[in-house]
Amino acid sequence: TRPAQHKSGLLYSPECNRVSYKFSPVKSLFWSGEKGFHLLFLLSCVSEEVDYSSYGTHSLTRKKKAVVALRNDVNRKRPHIRIGMPQDFRPVSSIIDVDILPESHRRVRLYRHGSDKPLGFYIRDGTSVRVTPHGLEKVPGIFISRMVPGGLAESTGLLAVNDEVLEVNGIEVTGKTLDQVTDMMIANSHNLIVTVKPVNQRNNVVRASRISGSSGQSSDSSGSTGYPSLSTTAMATGADELESDEESDIVIESTPPPAPVEHPSPPTRPLSPSLNGLSHHGTLRESNDSLHKILSTMRTDPRHSLALPRGGVEEDGTVITL
Amino acid sequence: MKRFRRHGQESQRERIKQELYGFNKTVEHGFPHQPSALGFSPSLQLLAIGTRSGAIKLYGGPGVEFMGLHDENAAVTQVHFLPHQVELVTLLDDNSLHMWTLRAHHGVSELLEIGRFTLTGPPGAPPSVTCVTAVLAHSSGDLLLLGTEGGHVFVVKVPGFRELEERNISLEKVTNSVPEEYGGRRILEHVESLQENPVNQRQVLIGYGRGLMVIWDLDSQSAIKHIPATQQLESVWWTEDGGHVLSSHSDGSYCRWKVAGDDPQSEQEKSEVPYGHFPCKAISKIIQLPTEQGPPFLFLSGGMPRASYGDRHCISVIHSKTHVALDFTSRIIDFFVIRDGPGHTGEPSALVVLVEEELVVIDLQTEGWPVIQTPYLVPLHCSAITCSHHVSAIPLKLWERVLSAGALQNTHYSKKPWPMTGGQNLAPDPPQRDLLLTGHEDGTVRFWDASGVCLYPMYKLSTAGVFLTDSDPNDNLNQGTEGEWPPFRKVGCFDPYSDDPRLGIQKIHLCKYSGYLTVAGTAGQILVLELNDEAAEQTVEATVADLLQGQEGFRWKGHTRLEVREEPVTFPPGFQPFALVQCQPPAVVTALTLHSEWKLVTFGTSHGFGLYDYQQKNNVLVRCTLNPSDQLAMEGPLSRVKSIKKSLRQSFRRIRRSRVSLRKHHVNNAAKLQQANARLEAELAEMELAPVQRKIEPRSPDDSFTGLVRTLYFADTFLSDSSHNTPSLWAGTNGGSVFAYQLRLPPVECRGEDPVTAHPAKEIQLMHRAPVVGILVLDGHGSPLPEPLEVAHDLARSPDMQGSHSLLVISEEQFKVFTLPKVSAKMKLKLTAIDGSRVRRVGVAWFGSNRTDDYGESGLTVLTNQGDLHVVSLPGVKLQVQYPCIRREDVSGIASCVFTKHGQGFYLISPSEFERFSLSARCVVEPRSLVEVPSQTPSATLPRALPDGASVERRNSTRDGVAVLQEIQKSLEVDQTTFLENGTSALARGKVLSNGD
């Protein structure tokens, strides 16, 4: 997780009045120059030919979350330019909220988005040491125990074995069991935001505003995370947050034959699916009578969510600016 | 401004919530798990049971119940009521003594612990000096005599637990007063028994473990007589006239000693080994009670020949020429005898025996000594509970028919009323008739009256008769042959064995309006039954539902289908099966729903679901939900882990069979089996805990058991267009899929001939893929659709068909509302993403306000895997309240939870006990009873013969439980419309609704 050594590009964002230095194609370092220094590692897993047009946005109100979008070169030769939400941008796994977190903490967003990669990590129970006014105190904690080689967590390098998990999508895990944290992570797996205290504190970002005060080795003196929480859109809010519903369900409607029925068709008659919004896809064959098959064809399509009936392109908490 | 207004709304909502919801655990139904001590107060007519987990439970007349829990996590070893008081003393196995009292508070008695005490010996003394082995609550009511392992007797003033050191009876004092020739000053060992002279309360008998008994005078502080028994002492009984002492011994003998007269040494009048010749086990307790004319009753527990019947749990009752060895189903904890008469000195009327798994009461005044059915403390687990189903507000007609069917099954019970009559039941009558149905491993369904505090057995349905099982005809070892010795008679109903685990009941659905019942079991069998008041001979035709639907490459590795009896079977009055569906593969049925108006039953397994027309007796629809790559679903119901259990079970069954052939009783194996199961379960739990890491991966369509059908639902709603509502069937799977079928029912006049058809209408795949645990359609007002026939019976408002309906899909992770007929997401509530808990159980309930009768709301009652209860509002799906209820480690407790339609629920706290809880502020069933202090003080000379003022408590004594129930029903006839789902009718009762007897 070291920053790359070689500069390979420089970007300028006129709206944000922001300069971004771009490093190696695999790992990029963004530097927000306006409202305090803000380092952002972008780790993407796409090929080297990708044309980066990346932006780091930052706002203190945290209404919109920092986002980095990548243009997928496969879709670059589009015949027309669409106004509205660009479909060829997609968020990737990243470190977010660097400016509001203590330096010893890291908030990581693991974004699968059509990738076939598994999230690829395991968690375990463990003991964490906290600094209290009475001295060191051992408290139970949740830690990353294992990485699956080639998984998202390992290949992005954002998480490491023995990192302590502090939050899942903005909800503190203190007092929760391993099973509860597991279930929370799985329930958020489409857009998993994990706040960790990395076991290796050497690579911590050092913020200019704090450089004078403390070294990079900041210790977490309070048991709980005393900094602003995730913005509401990024959090797994309970109530009707459908406008940012990334996980649209698939609905297959079929019209039953008109009544009255002369010859009752066998109950197992294959569905002739008219998929909402999926019909233009062309990948569906008439023979697909089971949802499993439909879904498995869809899973191989990395952009399947674009074709989903509703909210498919509205990513959770994501704002893409051109 | 806006903020302020919103604040006002919120506080108003908070107030409404307080009026609607309130969490209470109210009463425990069933039989206490692992009882360890029994006590009885003749003057209060209360019995007390202590358990290994430190609970103390008091029972009087039906509905009179109290419960207390010791802070120490120690077993209760002894319970003693202080004579003629409302106090009782418990001894725990940590050697602490606890004083409890029944204190009236707001007109209702409460069981309170008022003191605790541990004996302290002289400094430097070994702990055995103060380890209590025998307790005598002296009839003066203010003295406690404590015999210890060291052989001393300590005297303690109660209720304050003040040691009276000067009155202690030390071992030295006793040995000095016994002639030296007795055994050459042998060690006397611990104090085994302390008995008071029934005719002279100043005399106390001290029985030592080695056999010696000494009669001690409390006033002169000296031994006045000794009884030189030489066998190891087990128990002592002082006959009522004070003239004789009976002692029972570890070699299976008992002796009678004459203690009247002035001779300092008693003579042995008689010594007998009742089951003699060969070595016998100890007689652990002996009681002898006189009758007005004629010979006394003698009660002996144990004493069986060691080699041939050493594993039996027997109490022998000997009266005149009658000698019966009552053969119990599990280990005997303790017993006592209830006597007639105002002073409880008359004829013995009932023998009350607490065994490890049940309470048995024998009527001693009716020929043949029949068993009296208990109105409480029923062994729910006589066969292991496999599922439960609750039906609220049963119509009177159905209730009476079930009761009368049940009455025909209970002819072997005594007609005598329940002899325990203590306390006054002050609870109001239950607001409605509620049924709890439990399915059992042996293929029975038991119907319980769950209206009030007493869970009363009503009727038992057995489904085994439909099938050919390999049940052993030798299992009927009930009655011994003529002239057999010992004269065994089997009593009790606890029988944990199931001859064929495939018979186990997994799902139950009863339509309370039509009396149609459907039950489904472990081997994919679905029975449809109807209530018939006459016995009938029927052939049950089986229809096979092939759920694989031609999916290839699967081989079922589980059990085979049950074989159906082809010849007609005579079914007794009650629920009689008339249709049977057998799933192929015969996997356990995981979902079941009945629609009595449409005459359809739908069922699901891990392979798919089907729809069966029980009028035409054919399958309407069979749908396979199996993922082609899911091989595990074909493994059968017993995975590798479970098969260990199965093989264990089988091996125990084998042992049992061999024992049966040896004409031995099998119940000892029950304990062994349970032990083995417990050990295995602990191991399994450990195995599960061993890999303390958890994989983080989203759910995949290729996970195992995605096709398992979790929920099935019928709805009359707008499935295809918004102007015509049609019948529909909904199914939800473990993989987060929902299937909807439009149903076409022929018109009523040709319902018998024209086929019912089902057409696929919709499929929804939830992207989070969590198991779908509930499906519900909400009408135009946002209210859940009423149950079938509910509107037809004028018991619910018809649903709103004008406004648009919506579909609520409840998965383990979230609650999601969709529009209908076009399915698009409208609202949702995420549960797992927020707090990591998952929905385990969900029900729809009506919550009435406890302030005004005319306000109420529908809501979802939810139990999570963390053991928390939530109420979720409808149709807004907002979390309302949350209460911790069950420990999250108690997986079986969470799995057993069943909700009622009025915000109550039940869950198993042990294999034999349901805890009843209430989430509703209005609808609470809890015991409310009053026990008063006996008004007269005992006389100094004849405490046992004294009438006490227990007349108040005996007010209900002559009422038979069944008769009482019928009374309740009659009084409730007018109340039929109470508690409707839409709550428009007023409830003209108190705010706390509890039951009466």
Side-chain angles (χ1 to χ4, degrees), chain B residues 470-733:
Chain B
D470 56 347
S471 62
D472 198 334
N474 287 342
D475 271 7
N476 276 333
L477 62 152
N478 262 3
Q479 308 302 328
T481 46
E482 201 64 33
E484 185 198 35
W485 189 259
F488 288 121
R489 190 187 125 201
K490 197 173 180 287
V491 283
C493 61
F494 175 72
D495 180 14
Y497 290 99
S498 157
D499 285 304
D500 194 337
R502 295 178 297 171
L503 290 171
I505 305 294
Q506 298 293 335
K507 294 285 163 193
I508 305 170
H509 192 135
L510 170 70
C511 170
K512 62 185 177 188
Y513 302 110
S514 63
Y516 280 101
L517 169 73
T518 177
V519 298
T522 305
Q525 75 271 31
I526 298 107
L527 279 166
V528 190
L529 307 99
E530 65 186 327
L531 191 51
N532 188 349
D533 300 328
E534 309 287 330
E537 198 178 58
Q538 290 195 36
T539 315
V540 182
E541 264 175 71
T543 308
V544 173
D546 177 18
L547 291 170
L548 285 185
Q549 291 293 293
Q551 286 252 27
E552 281 177 19
F554 287 116
R555 199 170 64 82
W556 171 249
K557 295 175 187 160
H559 47 227
T560 55
R561 217 158 58 197
L562 281 162
E563 263 183 84
V564 185
R565 279 185 202 275
E566 281 168 9
E567 72 280 6
V569 183
T570 306
F571 294 102
F575 285 93
Q576 296 171 349
F578 66 93
L580 168 67
V581 182
Q582 289 190 290
C583 295
Q584 187 60 33
V588 51
V589 175
T590 54
L592 180 73
T593 301
L594 170 87
H595 200 296
S596 45
E597 205 169 343
W598 303 339
K599 303 202 182 303
L600 296 173
V601 165
T602 176
F603 50 90
T605 73
S606 51
H607 307 118
F609 58 94
L611 179 65
Y612 178 77
D613 174 359
Y614 64 77
Q615 180 160 9
Q616 295 182 25
K617 298 192 182 174
N618 58 15
N619 286 324
V620 176
L621 160 76
V622 179
R623 167 72 191 246
C624 180
T625 53
L626 195 62
N627 180 345
S629 58
D630 187 359
Q631 286 293 335
L632 211 58
M634 296 308 295
E635 292 272 319
L638 303 165
S639 66
R640 231 177 341 172
V641 178
K642 277 184 188 156
S643 65
I644 304 170
K645 220 172 159 179
K646 187 190 175 190
S647 64
L648 249 181
R649 191 208 303 265
Q650 280 167 345
S651 61
F652 275 114
R653 197 168 291 131
R654 236 173 280 129
I655 295 171
R656 168 204 175 199
R657 289 241 166 85
S658 63
R659 294 245 176 140
V660 165
S661 60
L662 286 170
R663 295 203 60 79
K664 272 198 181 181
H665 195 46
H666 62 254
V667 172
N668 198 29
N669 293 329
K672 278 189 202 160
L673 180 74
Q674 276 180 345
Q675 271 173 21
N677 277 346
R679 209 167 46 233
L680 187 76
E681 242 141 34
E683 276 169 23
L684 290 180
E686 238 170 88
M687 259 158 71
E688 217 172 60
L689 289 174
V692 282
Q693 56 175 3
R694 295 277 185 272
K695 189 179 184 177
I696 307 297
E697 268 331 313
R699 297 168 200 274
S700 145
D702 296 330
D703 287 347
S704 291
F705 294 106
T706 51
L708 189 145
V709 177
R710 290 287 292 266
T711 184
L712 290 160
Y713 180 67
F714 285 114
D716 187 0
T717 189
F718 302 93
L719 194 58
S720 49
D721 71 279
S722 49
S723 47
H724 299 96
N725 53 304
T726 54
S728 62
L729 166 67
W730 299 78
T733 73

Side-chain angles (χ1 to χ4, degrees), chain B residues 200 215 231 239 303 330 372 396 475 488 510 557 608 611 642 683 703 719 738 760 817 828 898 917 924 983:
Chain B
N200 180 358
I215 296 175
Q231 277 293 332
T239 57
S330 46
I372 304 175
L396 181 65
D475 271 7
F488 288 121
L510 170 70
K557 295 175 187 160
L611 179 65
K642 277 184 188 156
E683 276 169 23
D703 287 347
L719 194 58
V738 174
V817 181
K828 74 174 166 189
V898 56
F917 63 85
V924 181

Side-chain angles (χ1 to χ4, degrees), chain A residues 120 145 179 248 253 268 271, chain B residues 549 693-694 697 762-763 767:
Chain A
S145 63
D179 285 335
S248 296
E253 310 253 3
T268 52
L271 265 179
Chain B
Q549 291 293 293
Q693 56 175 3
R694 295 277 185 272
E697 268 331 313
K762 287 180 199 309
E763 293 189 19
M767 282 314 276

Side-chain angles (χ1 to χ4, degrees), chain B residues 900-929:
Chain B
T900 79
K901 292 256 184 287
H902 297 102
Q904 299 197 20
F906 302 85
Y907 66 93
L908 289 172
I909 48 175
S910 74
S912 57
E913 285 167 290
F914 273 116
E915 172 81 59
R916 186 187 195 116
F917 63 85
S918 182
L919 280 167
S920 163
R922 188 198 275 180
C923 196
V924 181
V925 171
E926 60 185 351
R928 291 173 63 81
S929 33

Side-chain angles (χ1 to χ4, degrees), chain B residues 38-89:
Chain B
L38 176 69
F40 174 60
S41 167
S43 57
L44 298 176
Q45 283 289 305
L46 290 177
L47 75 87
I49 295 175
T51 73
R52 295 233 302 255
S53 52
I56 171 95
K57 295 183 164 196
L58 268 57
Y59 298 89
V64 177
E65 295 185 13
F66 303 94
M67 195 201 146
L69 190 64
H70 294 91
D71 294 336
E72 295 82 357
N73 190 20
V76 180
T77 54
Q78 294 190 36
V79 181
H80 299 271
F81 282 91
L82 301 188
H84 314 281
Q85 317 275 321
V86 286
E87 276 86 33
L88 64 151
V89 176

Side-chain angles (χ1 to χ4, degrees), chain A residues 46 72 74-75 87 89-91 111-117 281 283 295-308 312 315:
Chain A
V46 284
N72 191 333
V74 181
N75 289 309
Q87 299 199 353
F89 280 73
R90 62 187 177 94
Y111 211 96
R112 286 177 77 237
H113 195 81
S115 146
D116 279 344
K117 283 193 176 157
H281 230 276
T283 50
L295 289 170
S296 51
T297 51
M298 286 176 54
R299 266 190 331 121
T300 56
D301 181 352
R303 295 176 302 110
H304 71 271
S305 69
L306 302 183
L308 286 176
E315 298 302 339

Side-chain angles (χ1 to χ4, degrees), chain A residues 154-174:
Chain A
E154 192 239 23
S155 64
T156 56
L158 294 171
L159 296 174
V161 171
N162 293 333
D163 284 0
E164 183 183 357
V165 177
L166 304 173
E167 292 178 348
V168 176
N169 288 56
I171 314 256
E172 279 185 47
V173 303
T174 323

